[in-house]
Amino acid sequence: MSYSHILHEIFGYERFRGPQQDIIEHVGGGGDALVLMPTGGGKSLCYQIPAIARHRAGQGVTVVISPLIALMHDQVGALHEAGVSAAFLNSTLSGEEAYQVEQRMLRGDITLLYAAPERVTTPRFLAQLDALFERGKLSLFAIDEAHCVSQWGHDFRPEYRALTVLHERFPGVPRMALTATADDLTRADILERLQLQEARAFVSSFDRPNIRYTIVEKRDATTQLLRFIEREHPDEAGIVYCQSRKKVEDMAHTLCEAGIDALPYHAGLDSAVRQDHQDRFLREEGVVMVATIAFGMGIDKPDVRFVAHLDMPKNIEGYYQETGRAGRDGLSADAWMCYGLSDVVNQRRMIDEGPAEEEFKQSMRGKLEALLGLAEATDCRRTRLLAYFGEASQPCGNCDNCLQPPAVWDGTQAAQMLLSTIYRIDKLSGISFGAGQLMDIVRGKKTEKVAQHGHERLSTFGVGAQFSELQLRGVLRQLLAMGAVMVDVQAFNTLVLTAQSRAILKGEVPVLLRESVSLPKAPKGRVAAGRTVIKAPIELDGLAMQRYAELKAWRAEVAREHNLPAYVIFHDATLAAIAQRAPQTMDDLQGISGMGVKKLEAYAHEVLRVVGVPG
Ligand code: ADP
Ligand code: ZN
């Protein structure tokens, strides 16, 4: 059976995506590989298909090493649904259950075995692998989330270091390392630590064309978020990232009050509660998870329709990784961020007050500025993102700036007013002030604090009366992004000049800004709480829509019975395709993407019944 046969028969997919075929052929043929593919790119098939092919050819068991114990159950469940024999070994199994799995593995009855790195490197497990190896029944090692091996990566797991034993102890067994995030340093580290220097590297484009990037200026974040969800994603699954635990709690509460099915998730919650919320997010439909960045690694729920940031992440790497959790199924999804001056100040403070060495802080500041640059950009966001990762591209047509090119205004004059005011205040008072006072002076507002410090005597008092506070805030953010103003965190977040300020004061460097976009209006006829508005991934007419809704209800039942998330049974896209086709017979179900042979066998009758064909 060829690889593409396996793709059709077992997974029900029509064609390989991107570099999948090359990778599968290389590994299937016994080669080592390093696979760098963005989230949602389809890494799993890259080891599952070689594993299936090699098992059928009598080469035995593939061991998949993954740090995500909580997700192994669902991964194995998905393979079972597709008719592939798979199992996992981890601490959630009883001694007896683990023993049964080991016996099945030793008999060669398992195609893919999932295990955590600490399990793989125990003497007991290694001895079992020895036994398989001696009989030529150890087929392949797939090391998932391979960046965990590197201390440069963001999820360093010391247990990953011990995996060099695989190479030493089982020479000739092909190994592949897979990850979605690895800059050059991490990549080199993976190769060295896992002894994969000879492996072929497959590096995919990091573009996620189905994700639409939107970055808006923060006004009233809660209202902005509510409107975004109500207009674009009613009743759909999404993740809302906030920086603090308290904000997570508050926001989850606010969303619930607005009739949105939201749950909080952060490291301060009891682990049973966290697990429960994660399960509900994975298993139920349309749950919005409000979370700190503690949530997300390895969440392979394919139908997350949006990722929203209410606070700015630390850098573009973080932003890209978090937004990458949207739309793994390839259907359209939104990455929406709302940010403001205070975010920048906060992030800046966290860096400055942190315990790191100055050199490290300097690089963190640079990364923050790059993210701010992305947020303030007036051209294609995707082009900027990809450029940051070293990839050249054309304007995408699927980001806010491409879809609605922002008006740009020249803020140089306003910037000069702000900078010279900072300079003059310092000369007059010998101390610096924060953004509020600065803007009041430039706009000529006679507040108590202005009077108290004699600031109306400054020559720049009122010179910028024509600017709104909003505009000046934008200018300040831009100045921060350019490094032309610094926040002095030791002195109550006051603003001070830097070496870069000069060029702007002298008019050598222009300050261009995006025109602020006004708050989106509330959607017409606000969605009443409790009413379900179903959106399908493809255009469906009335009757097809009804079939789609019925199929979804049926799928939810099956998922509950099997104790698996709904998407493991069928993806939304598969249900929508069925609904559109209005199948009358088994034959009509053939060739629908996601409908493999095993699923056809198991569910075709039910599906036909649900769409109204009498049984
Ligand atoms: P990754 O691990 O790279 O984030 P996954 O392996 O979870 O991505 O794949 C993402 C989604 O894409 C899954 O739902 C998977 O079933 C689907 N998928 C992968 N390869 C294909 C393909 N060739 N055709 C259609 N769907 C695919
Ligand atoms: Zn674009």
Side-chain angles (χ1 to χ4, degrees), residues 13 15-17 20 38-45 302 328 571:
Y13 294 140
R15 60 184 70 83
F16 287 112
R17 257 195 212 160
Q20 278 178 334
T39 308
K43 281 184 287 302
S44 320
L45 288 191
R328 293 170 83 121
H571 282 186

Side-chain angles (χ1 to χ4, degrees), residues 47-102:
Y47 59 82
Q48 288 170 348
I49 292 182
I52 294 165
R54 290 172 68 86
H55 188 261
R56 288 192 177 165
Q59 283 165 304
V61 181
T62 288
V63 179
V64 183
I65 295 137
S66 157
L68 305 161
I69 291 178
L71 299 173
M72 286 181 192
H73 171 267
D74 293 351
Q75 286 165 334
V76 165
L79 285 166
H80 283 168
E81 289 292 323
V84 180
S85 67
F88 60 83
L89 271 180
N90 64 35
S91 50
T92 65
L93 296 184
S94 69
E96 173 59 23
E97 287 166 329
Y99 176 77
Q100 292 301 335
V101 170
E102 286 168 359

Side-chain angles (χ1 to χ4, degrees), residues 341 345 418 421-422 425 431-441 449 455 473 476 485-488 491-496:
L341 192 57
V345 173
L418 287 165
T421 303
I422 295 177
I425 299 179
I431 49 169
S432 322
F433 285 80
Q437 181 79 349
L438 199 61
M439 292 189 293
D440 285 347
I441 297 170
K449 200 168 165 191
H455 284 163
R473 260 183 203 284
L476 268 177
V485 173
M486 249 182 47
V487 181
D488 186 347
F492 310 105
N493 293 334
T494 55
L495 297 168
V496 292

Side-chain angles (χ1 to χ4, degrees), residues 446-488:
K446 291 186 181 141
T447 64
E448 214 170 290
K449 200 168 165 191
V450 165
Q452 187 191 340
H453 295 279
H455 284 163
E456 72 268 40
R457 279 182 284 132
L458 293 172
S459 61
T460 53
F461 184 79
V463 287
Q466 75 271 34
F467 297 114
S468 69
E469 184 176 324
L470 209 65
Q471 286 173 318
L472 290 185
R473 260 183 203 284
V475 175
L476 268 177
R477 270 198 321 264
Q478 191 76 336
L479 289 172
L480 276 162
M482 297 167 85
V485 173
M486 249 182 47
V487 181
D488 186 347

